[in-house]
Amino acid sequence: MAFHRFKALETVLTRTPVDVVLPSNKVSEFFGENVFGIDAMREYLSEEAFKSVMSAMEQGTQIDRKMADHVASSMKAWANSKGATHYTHWFQPLTGTTAEKHDAFFEPTEGGRAIERFGGSQLAQQEPDASSFPNGGIRNTFEARGYTAWDPTSPAFVIGKTLCIPTIFVSYTGEALDFKTPLLKALHAMDKAAVDVCQYFDKNVTKVIATLGWEQEYFLVDEALANARPDLSITGRTLFGHIPAKGQQLEDHYFGSIPDRATAFMRDFEIESLKLGIPIKTRHNEVAPNQFECAPVFEECNLAVDHNQLLMDVMEKVGRRHNFKVLLHEKPFAGVNGSGKHNNWSLSTNTGKNLLSPGKTPKTNLQFLTFFINTVKAVHDNADLLRAGIASANNDHRLGANEAPPAIMSVFLGTQLSNVLDELETKVKSGKMSPDEKTALKLGVGKIPDILLDNTDRNRTSPFAFTGNKFEFRAVGSSANCAGPMTILNAIVADQLVKFKKDVDALISKNVDKDEAIFQVLRTYIIESKKIRFEGNGYGEEWVKEAAKRGLSNIKTTPEALGAFASKQTMSLFERHGIMSEREQHARYDIYLETYTKKIQIESRVMADLALNQIIPTAIKYQSSLIENVKGLKEIMSPADFKKNGQIQLEMIMEISEHINIIKTKVDQMTEARKKANAIADVKKQAVEYCEKVKSYFDVIRYHVDKLEIVVDDESWPLPKYRELLFTK
Ligand code: ADP
Ligand code: MG
């Protein structure tokens, strides 16, 4: 017999919160202690090496081999002091998770002895087999090597007994095979484009970094219960399960008290995260039962991405200590809110200014408006690409499902800023403005900060919302690598800023005054990007209609959404900024499609197995007991009595037969559909086939299984039920 849910439930009853000891009451005493960060580098590196690494981090300069040797030996000494015996290059292949290839620090020598070895070349480069990772055909069969190369902008850290060195991952021929490489290039393009635009306002700006503050949502489920659900263990979500009598309708979970076991888990993974330098700060319950969120203080984008990937690893590892399975899947439970990962994004200068924060003077506010409006314009012009960047089989369950941002891309600005843009649109003249008009305009712009202070309107239904001093990209999936959407967002805004500078310079060269030129170009952008602005309820049916009228895309499925990656516009955008070549983009496009197909394929298989091996046999057993019961009733009742009181049992038998019949028929048809889809060679066609011809069986099979769940005797139902998964403390 399968791992029955009662055994699992009994196990859960014996659970107690795990004791977690805070290393110190002062977080500052252990924050970053497992990171080879600035303090550790100061202690372990020579003055010269320290400067060289800092310059690589801040200016992106190269570290030469001799220096790398020195850094490597210092890093190793530090890691040894933390108990590390192994090192690994830590990278982010397109599987979506992180990868590690551990090597011991020592190397065996002749005569059975060993020498400790970890030099500049081991630090700078490793050669994992690229063929074990998705490569979209980039790997030539005769040359399977891939390279990982040290990314000095993200500090090394120790987990357990291993020194982890953040790296990029590229093919033998230099093409990106990971998330980090294009991200770093997009951030570089952003830096350059933004600095150029800042020169209009402030000559002291020489560096602009993108900042990212993510908010991670997740569910906690007891490990024993999760293990009794093959669907949850294998696919990360429940493929069956009747909605519980009490779900989230009372909305009593949000900001409610956190159960002790969950609190202990949170404290534990927060401590681990803080030691790794992840500035985790907030935690709270989410809307759904057993759903939680955590968020750090924002950081430089590349570092924030690494920290989110690291956090997801840490959560899963620490979860095991607390007998929890951490569900990062976007939609583990039907009928219950899914999980997202809001990406709060802004731009910050070397002069300490947040470019998306309104300033104190008309000049700084014009700078703010410039970055603000260019972002809106970039989203308008590249809405489909942004949509592609958050597309995944998992996220399809969220987007547009009336609880998460819709699949329609739009931007929420808030009433005040909408008014400011409307005013600019009417007041800026395309011809020459009089000095009075210009003064009035600048005065108007100068008033922005006062207004924003009481800007309390928040729109939780918008996929991309301005929230006072940053944009919040709310449609990102909870299990996604933020690098995907962040590469796109930074690339499209960088591209837009380059266009902006060109447009403004063109006017200046025609003797238009600089401020006026900026105003005029911004006005054009305001007009051109109007249709992307939406302040209303993004979950409503009216918005779907209104968006269609405006000509905005509403792309519901991943295979269709991914199409934007293969468009001419995208190809040329990434190529123009040196972020990815066409070859790299095509490879990526194929990988994403293949990943989609594989996910649906696995779900479909697990669904069929569960239905045939667990659900139908359970239903048949229960039905047999009903049949026995009817036989008995017939024996002891008169035909008239049986006709009066024995019919319900007969109906139940029939009902069960009907469900079993449909389940079996549909599972067989689905399996046939899968066979057909598997024979398709073209990756795009195959993904579409899986989406339209295989996935389409999921709902109907699930419907009948869930019906059986409420008919069949609770004693014999094998899978932990929603109420047990979601409400067991
Ligand atoms: P809330 O949205 O819950 O009111 P906050 O406004 O403090 O909370 O921010 C939410 C998230 O936005 C946090 O992760 C925070 O670090 C991040 N954030 C705040 N300012 C910025 C910024 N300038 N750039 C990027 N992220 C930011
Ligand atoms: Mg938020």
Side-chain angles (χ1 to χ4, degrees):
M1 188 181 169
F3 189 12
H4 194 280
R5 68 181 232 272
F6 286 157
K7 267 197 205 146
L9 281 164
E10 262 168 35
T11 311
V12 177
L13 286 178
T14 66
R15 306 267 199 230
T16 49
V18 175
D19 267 343
V20 179
V21 187
L22 202 66
S24 151
N25 282 331
K26 283 198 196 127
V27 169
S28 59
E29 280 173 14
F30 61 92
F31 182 76
E33 72 173 31
N34 292 341
V35 183
F36 194 57
I38 292 185
D39 289 343
M41 287 198 294
R42 260 217 192 90
E43 193 187 328
Y44 281 83
L45 293 179
S46 70
E47 179 77 21
E48 199 188 355
F50 179 76
K51 278 194 187 137
S52 161
V53 176
M54 288 309 287
S55 152
M57 284 171 75
E58 282 159 8
Q59 267 88 43
T61 51
Q62 292 271 331
I63 298 174
D64 68 40
R65 259 302 145 86
K66 206 173 123 251
M67 206 56 86
D69 270 337
H70 173 68
V71 175
S73 71
S74 310
M75 201 186 267
K76 180 172 155 276
W78 169 81
N80 287 155
S81 81
K82 298 275 164 198
T85 52
H86 286 64
Y87 71 95
T88 181
H89 278 194
W90 183 79
F91 56 104
Q92 300 166 28
L94 295 166
T95 50
T97 52
T98 54
E100 299 162 10
K101 176 177 173 258
H102 294 225
D103 277 311
F105 282 122
F106 76 88
E107 284 198 0
T109 56
E110 274 171 58
R113 275 171 305 176
I115 52 156
E116 300 281 320
R117 209 189 123 193
F118 176 68
S121 52
Q122 284 77 20
L123 165 66
Q125 200 167 294
Q126 260 190 333
E127 294 182 17
D129 181 0
S131 61
S132 344
F133 296 100
N135 54 57
I138 275 184
R139 171 189 67 97
N140 294 322
T141 35
F142 57 87
E143 192 39 277
R145 264 185 300 169
Y147 288 111
T148 50
W150 181 30
D151 165 22
T153 63
S154 182
F157 51 89
V158 166
I159 288 191
K161 297 211 172 300
T162 306
L163 166 69
C164 300
I165 301 154
T167 57
I168 59 165
F169 179 41
V170 295
S171 73
Y172 180 66
T173 37
E175 278 105 353
L177 293 175
D178 68 347
F179 279 106
K180 199 192 248 285
T181 308
L183 175 69
L184 288 171
K185 290 177 173 172
L187 293 172
H188 178 70
M190 171 54 93
D191 177 17
K192 191 172 174 321
V195 167
D196 284 352
V197 169
C198 282
Q199 293 300 305
Y200 288 137
F201 308 97
D202 183 354
K203 298 273 183 230
N204 295 320
V205 175
T206 53
K207 172 116 189 132
V208 172
I209 58 162
T211 51
L212 166 64
W214 40 262
E215 303 164 57
Q216 179 72 53
E217 291 182 335
Y218 61 95
F219 281 86
L220 288 180
V221 169
D222 189 277
E223 183 186 62
L225 295 173
N227 285 339
R229 298 240 11 172
D231 50 354
L232 209 46
S233 335
I234 298 169
T235 72
R237 75 177 180 108
T238 55
L239 299 169
F240 303 132
H242 200 272
I243 312 293
K246 176 181 183 281
Q248 64 191 58
Q249 62 272 60
L250 295 179
E251 299 193 336
D252 50 0
H253 188 69
Y254 198 59
F255 288 125
S257 75
I258 301 175
D260 291 347
R261 270 185 72 203
T263 310
F265 159 73
M266 287 177 192
R267 278 166 66 99
D268 205 0
F269 91 72
E270 283 167 8
I271 293 167
E272 293 292 322
S273 304
L274 290 164
K275 285 183 181 171
L276 287 165
I278 307 172
I280 204 92
K281 201 157 173 234
T282 49
R283 61 159 100 125
H284 61 77
N285 283 1
E286 264 304 320
V287 182
N290 272 12
Q291 192 188 25
F292 307 95
E293 180 188 294
C294 68
V297 177
F298 68 91
E299 300 175 282
E300 185 278 322
C301 189
N302 176 43
L303 187 59
V305 166
D306 282 3
H307 279 168
N308 180 246
Q309 289 298 112
L310 195 50
L311 175 105
M312 292 195 285
D313 283 354
V314 169
M315 282 172 92
E316 285 179 344
K317 280 192 188 119
V318 174
R320 260 171 254 143
R321 284 212 283 269
H322 294 253
N323 301 111
F324 278 128
K325 182 164 171 73
V326 181
L327 305 180
L328 295 166
H329 193 289
E330 281 72 0
K331 191 76 181 173
F333 306 99
V336 174
N337 266 14
S339 301
K341 173 148 56 199
H342 300 172
N343 278 204
N344 295 275
W345 170 88
S346 190
L347 295 167
S348 170
T349 66
N350 60 307
T351 56
K353 170 113 188 64
N354 175 353
L355 291 170
L356 288 173
S357 181
K360 291 192 169 57
T361 63
K363 191 167 112 182
T364 48
N365 272 344
L366 186 54
Q367 176 173 285
F368 157 71
L369 282 174
T370 295
F371 284 92
F372 180 71
I373 293 167
N374 273 292
T375 306
V376 177
K377 176 79 158 69
V379 174
H380 171 272
D381 290 359
N382 301 278
D384 287 355
L385 180 56
L386 264 186
R387 168 69 183 90
I390 49 163
S392 71
N394 298 359
N395 216 12
D396 278 0
H397 295 286
R398 263 178 93 232
L399 301 180
N402 287 336
E403 43 116 330
I408 308 160
M409 288 296 123
S410 69
V411 186
F412 171 85
L413 305 182
T415 324
Q416 286 90 344
L417 281 169
S418 295
N419 291 343
V420 171
L421 296 210
D422 291 344
E423 226 176 284
L424 284 182
E425 188 186 331
T426 48
K427 288 206 179 135
V428 177
K429 299 273 155 38
S430 40
K432 205 152 173 55
M433 282 192 278
S434 72
D436 279 355
E437 281 171 333
K438 255 194 265 180
T439 312
L441 202 65
K442 283 188 187 164
L443 277 178
V445 168
K447 287 207 187 95
I448 297 173
D450 312 89
I451 312 172
L452 273 193
L453 279 180
D454 51 69
N455 180 2
T456 47
D457 55 344
R458 280 280 177 108
N459 187 320
R460 304 204 172 270
T461 66
S462 173
F464 200 87
F466 187 68
T467 51
N469 57 3
K470 61 191 182 290
F471 279 99
E472 183 172 7
F473 192 10
R474 305 179 65 258
V476 183
S478 50
S479 70
N481 185 326
C482 302
M486 281 299 113
T487 300
I488 292 169
L489 182 59
N490 286 293
I492 63 176
V493 176
D495 187 62
Q496 177 53 43
L497 290 170
V498 170
K499 282 185 196 145
F500 171 77
K501 176 141 175 36
K502 231 167 105 192
D503 289 345
V504 171
D505 286 350
L507 286 178
I508 292 175
S509 73
K510 288 182 199 149
N511 289 327
V512 181
D513 153 89
K514 184 182 78 189
D515 284 357
E516 206 176 322
I518 291 172
F519 272 124
Q520 283 185 17
V521 173
L522 290 181
R523 176 174 179 268
T524 317
Y525 292 171
I526 291 170
I527 295 168
E528 286 171 356
S529 58
K530 223 171 184 174
K531 75 167 191 288
I532 202 79
R533 282 159 53 190
F534 180 61
E535 302 287 304
N537 175 16
Y539 295 176
E541 257 315 296
E542 306 85 70
W543 172 227
V544 176
K545 286 186 206 138
E546 163 71 16
K549 230 188 275 166
R550 292 186 189 187
L552 296 176
S553 309
N554 183 3
I555 305 171
K556 297 221 170 75
T557 68
T558 292
E560 193 191 346
L562 291 177
F565 280 125
S567 78
K568 272 214 181 91
Q569 186 181 334
T570 306
M571 291 283 166
S572 117
L573 172 90
F574 283 133
E575 190 120 48
R576 211 160 47 237
H577 294 280
I579 296 168
M580 275 187 280
S581 68
E582 279 208 19
R583 189 171 139 87
E584 287 172 298
Q585 295 184 64
H586 273 301
R588 205 155 287 241
Y589 175 59
D590 284 359
I591 290 167
Y592 292 157
L593 286 168
E594 278 167 13
T595 305
Y596 177 84
T597 296
K598 281 184 197 150
K599 282 224 158 150
I600 305 294
Q601 187 182 51
I602 292 168
E603 288 191 347
S604 163
R605 284 180 183 152
V606 172
M607 186 173 241
D609 286 355
L610 272 181
L612 301 183
N613 301 334
Q614 293 206 31
I615 307 300
I616 292 183
T618 304
I620 288 179
K621 258 187 228 151
Y622 177 60
Q623 195 188 35
S624 304
S625 74
L626 287 177
I627 293 171
E628 279 307 306
N629 175 264
V630 167
K631 280 185 187 159
L633 289 180
K634 275 193 172 162
E635 247 176 62
I636 59 167
M637 284 182 180
S638 68
D641 278 349
F642 183 78
K643 203 161 186 196
K644 202 167 144 215
N645 294 321
Q647 296 307 304
I648 285 294
Q649 284 87 332
L650 274 181
E651 273 168 34
M652 284 169 74
I653 292 169
M654 297 308 282
E655 191 189 334
I656 292 173
S657 277
E658 199 182 313
H659 292 311
I660 291 176
N661 248 308
I662 300 179
I663 293 169
K664 177 75 170 75
T665 314
K666 294 292 169 190
V667 164
D668 288 348
Q669 289 171 359
M670 177 171 76
T671 307
E672 276 312 306
R674 222 165 51 222
K675 274 189 201 150
K676 250 179 83 188
N678 290 345
I680 299 175
D682 181 276
V683 279
K684 166 87 195 214
K685 284 193 185 128
Q686 188 178 40
V688 171
E689 184 85 358
Y690 258 97
C691 177
E692 290 173 1
K693 301 280 165 62
V694 177
K695 192 169 163 273
S696 47
Y697 285 102
F698 288 11
D699 282 350
V700 57
I701 296 171
R702 180 183 187 131
Y703 175 83
H704 291 279
V705 169
D706 291 356
K707 283 285 176 213
L708 282 177
E709 184 186 317
I710 48 171
V711 187
V712 169
D713 180 15
D714 186 61
E715 285 277 333
S716 51
W717 195 256
L719 304 173
K721 298 184 171 181
Y722 267 30
R723 62 163 192 266
E724 294 154 352
L725 292 166
L726 288 167
F727 290 96
T728 317
K729 300 285 180 230

